[in-house]
Amino acid sequence: MKSIAALTTILATTSAFAPTATKQTSSSAIQAFENEVGAQPPLGFWDPLGMLDNADQERFDRLRYVELKHGRIAMLAVAGHTYTMAGNHLSGNIDYSGTSFDSIATGLAGLKSIPVEGVLQIVAFVGWLELFVMKDVKGTGEFPGDFRNGFDFGWDTYSEEEKLQKRAIELNNGRAAQMGILGLMVHEMLGNSNGYIINELLGYKL
């Protein structure tokens, strides 16, 4: 099963970089969105799948909203993965039968360790956040992904230039985190038992 998962990932990655599969971004899309946050060196505006060909601003904002949300989730996932891989866990038990938090495995393997009721609670909590919290509830967002909902958090103390910089930093960190958590999952499925590949390279043991 692990071999199949690894092979599938390799084939998908290979096809993504195959010259025949590369689709040229239309000039109209470049002109429309080349100055948006995230279109920066070295790639500039990059849309290899042509998802923004003939797209309007509403379509762009929707895709940017999804990209930001996935990036934020991925950043939390990477942080949680590295935190627990370092041996940090909550104290106490996750259920009344005595399943301790520190007995839960890190990564995808942890899903097998958590009781079914616990998984359902996690899914319900995430669903509640998705439907009622992590969204522009009041319709006052200044840009896609602005979930302040009336709270300032010091945002208005920044200049417009600083705001654009911070938005670009979040976007790029989210992009990196999405690739990072994908790499961690693939590495786990390949059977590495010592955490991260850097541990193997440097001879560290968990």
Side-chain angles (χ1 to χ4, degrees), residues 80-115:
H81 197 289
T82 54
Y83 183 79
T84 53
M85 183 61 75
N88 302 299
H89 300 276
L90 295 175
S91 59
N93 300 324
I94 196 174
D95 58 18
Y96 291 116
S97 63
T99 305
S100 61
F101 281 106
D102 59 11
S103 69
I104 305 297
T106 299
L108 295 174
L111 295 176
K112 300 177 182 178
S113 308
I114 302 175

Side-chain angles (χ1 to χ4, degrees), residues 135-143 146-150:
K135 58 190 299 184
D136 184 10
V137 178
K138 297 185 177 182
T140 57
E142 297 178 4
F143 49 84
D146 181 2
F147 300 156
R148 288 176 295 156
N149 293 311

Side-chain angles (χ1 to χ4, degrees), residues 184-204:
L184 290 174
M185 290 189 294
V186 170
H187 197 54
E188 180 182 344
M189 294 303 295
L190 291 175
N192 178 56
S193 60
N194 194 34
Y196 307 121
I197 191 171
I198 189 68
N199 294 332
E200 300 287 350
L201 296 175
L202 298 179
Y204 296 152

